[in-house]
Structures are given as structure tokens and as C-alpha cells.
Amino acid sequence: MKNIFDAPFLTEIIRTTSNMYRLGWDECNSGNISYLLGENETGQYIALNNVIRSFSLNIDAKKLSGKIFLVTGAGKHFRNVQYNPEENLGIVRISNDGRTAELLWGLSGGGRPTSELSPHLMCHIARLSVNPENRIILHAHPVNLTAMTYIHSIDEKKFTHTLWQFCYESIGIFPDGIGVLPWMLSGTNELAEATAKKIEEFRLVVWAQHGIAGAGASFDEAFGLIETSEKAAEIYIKVMHMPDLNIPSDAQITALAERWNVCPRKGWLN
Ligand code: 13P
Ligand code: ZN
């Protein structure tokens, strides 16, 4: 058996949590991550027949039965993950009946998987249905995107349009746009279901006055989506109270989309 602390998937999640913390996206315990692992890659590092403890799920995750996820723990601080991955992270497998997450490694000291495990699993089901390569769901509380939900319309077409205008790269990175949900209670099935519905259509879903969820086939994709939309929101927040003199036109944004060979969501640009 190889040493799990040499596993590329562990290095990736540790670097991601540290970067997210340093960028100010994940103060205290905020944010959570789930990373779909392959059975073969995981089996090289841990025994797959040793269930340490189990956590019941409040959703039917049968579509993911047998699938293995590396997840952040409930109430754990992203700042601390790099210093003690075994306590702050866990590897869980979804049981055959889809009702339980079986702990195979980590969450030492009696921890539990993120309280948002249900939305994460439902988002994986939704994304895998449209992209079988999807592996990552990231949830974070970036400052500027969240601030924007306090003062900008949360109509998703208007919200996306502003973000396309306020960062040069936006249209190239998220031409599919951003879904937006109103304020909702975290940890509930209602939020899980609403997010899963949106994330099937959009790789980014903003939770108003809370944060954002991003999906991707890799950390680069999911992280890049959040950092680009957050950059656009930061520029918007910096200048929105000043007279707007030089906002790019829809024709200019369309020209960028053509240059990068991407298709903006139909009807969202004039
Ligand atoms: P957890 O600590 O349970 O992952 O919750 C953090 C969070 O961001 C809730 O929305
Ligand atoms: Zn949150």
C-alpha cells in the first residue's frame, strides 16, 4: 500500500483549501469541497474494505452508490487542512442503498463530513448527467460575489451580464453564465434540490448573501470559474459607485466570444 500523504489527490485538495483560505474565500469553517475519486486510485492508498464509521444521508444518493469522495469535514477550517489533513478531511464511499456515507479514511477525532454533503452529492448527480467527466464541487464564500448579491439584481441574466462586462476573460471562462438562487437556509434539502437543478445548467451557482458553488472536471476548472467570476465582481464593486464611462458593449463581448470560439448563453447578449 502506498503512503496516502503522497497521493496526488490529497496534495491537490490541500493546495486548494490553502489557496481558497488565502484568497479570503473561506474564513473560519466556511466553504466545503467534494472530489470524486476513482476506485483504483484510492485503492492504492487505503483499504477499501475497512469502514471506520457511517453517516446517514438525508437524500437518496443511489445513483452514486459505490462512488468514493474526498470531502472536507463539517466545521473544519480550511486554514488548518494543510497542517492536519487526516483530521480535517475524509474519504467516504456511498453505500449500495444510497442512504449512507461510509468513512474509509480521515475525520480522525470523531469528525463528520461537511454539513453540505447532501447538496454536494446532488450536484455531482446533476453534473455527471451532463458531463460524465465532472469530479469536483467547490463551495466558497468569496467577498465580492457575495457583496454583489446585496446590491445588484439577483436575476441571473442581469447578474451574469454584469460579470461578463467587468472582467475581460469572463465570457471565455463562463459563456454558459451563472445561476443565482435567493437567500435560502444552508444544510436543507430545499437548498440541495434547488442547487442541483441549477448546476445541471450552469457550472456556477450563486447563493445570494451566502456564497457560490462551482463544478468542474478538475480543480483548475472549478477554481478558475470561481476566481474569474470573483475578479469580475471585485472590479464591479470597486467602480460601481462612480460614473460609468467605458463599459464594454455587447458587441465587444460578442467579439471576444467569437475570438475564443465559445457560445454565450443564447439571448443573454444583445
Ligand atoms: P461545513 O463546515 O459544514 O462544511 O459548512 C460550511 C459552509 O460553508 C456552510 O454553507
Ligand atoms: Zn457556505
Side-chain angles (χ1 to χ4, degrees):
M1 196 77 74
K2 294 188 196 167
N3 183 345
I4 188 156
F5 296 103
D6 296 330
F9 54 77
L10 204 67
T11 305
E12 275 186 290
I13 199 169
I14 290 169
R15 287 185 181 158
T16 303
T17 48
S18 297
N19 284 330
M20 291 170 81
Y21 171 69
R22 274 194 292 272
L23 286 162
W25 300 357
D26 294 284
E27 78 289 352
C28 195
N29 75 298
S30 72
N32 28 64
I33 298 179
S34 57
Y35 181 0
L36 174 58
L37 302 177
E39 195 174 310
N40 286 344
E41 70 179 323
T42 319
Q44 293 174 39
Y45 299 96
I46 57 170
L48 299 179
N49 54 3
N50 179 30
V51 177
I52 301 165
R53 24 185 221 283
S54 294
F55 310 97
S56 57
L57 299 169
N58 52 359
I59 54 154
D60 176 3
K62 213 169 184 164
K63 286 189 178 150
L64 297 173
S65 64
K67 297 248 185 285
I68 298 169
F69 294 91
L70 174 56
V71 298
T72 50
K76 304 298 186 190
H77 297 199
F78 275 22
R79 183 169 56 85
N80 294 335
V81 173
Q82 63 177 318
Y83 305 112
N84 194 346
E86 196 158 2
E87 187 176 313
N88 293 292
L89 302 171
I91 295 179
V92 294
R93 179 177 54 209
I94 306 307
S95 61
N96 286 340
D97 65 1
R99 289 285 173 188
T100 310
E102 303 166 336
L103 182 66
L104 302 177
W105 174 85
L107 297 175
S108 60
R112 299 181 58 82
T114 168
S115 62
E116 305 275 17
L117 186 59
S118 298
H120 275 259
L121 296 177
M122 289 182 73
C123 287
H124 278 284
I125 293 170
R127 277 317 296 172
L128 287 168
S129 74
V130 290
N131 176 14
E133 301 301 316
N134 195 83
R135 298 184 77 186
I136 311 285
I137 301 291
L138 292 184
H139 165 56
H141 296 184
V143 180
N144 297 286
L145 276 167
T146 311
M148 216 175 129
T149 66
Y150 285 81
I151 45 108
H152 190 284
S153 162
I154 56 165
D155 172 271
E156 56 203 14
K157 181 177 169 181
K158 290 181 185 155
F159 199 87
T160 298
H161 191 260
T162 298
L163 295 175
W164 280 348
Q165 287 175 315
F166 279 81
C167 178
Y168 192 81
E169 302 281 332
S170 286
I171 193 70
I173 304 296
F174 51 92
D176 43 338
I178 299 185
V180 183
L181 289 173
W183 186 98
M184 291 174 89
L185 199 58
S186 58
T188 59
N189 276 6
E190 200 191 359
L191 178 60
E193 279 162 21
T195 309
K197 213 164 146 194
K198 286 273 178 221
I199 216 160
E200 200 174 316
E201 236 191 299
F202 303 95
R203 289 169 300 155
L204 283 170
V205 179
V206 165
W207 291 346
Q209 298 91 46
H210 179 162
I212 192 164
S218 62
F219 274 115
D220 278 352
E221 183 182 0
F223 193 93
L225 285 164
I226 297 180
E227 70 181 340
T228 308
S229 53
E230 170 63 2
K231 166 70 82 69
E234 182 176 359
I235 298 170
Y236 173 77
I237 294 290
K238 279 202 163 113
V239 303
M240 52 82 63
H241 54 286
M242 301 183 205
D244 53 341
L245 299 178
N246 303 305
I247 308 289
S249 66
D250 280 14
Q252 288 170 319
I253 298 170
T254 303
L256 281 175
E258 281 166 7
R259 184 175 185 81
W260 290 324
N261 212 12
V262 296
C263 280
R265 182 168 289 268
K266 230 176 153 126
W268 282 25
L269 283 173
N270 292 319

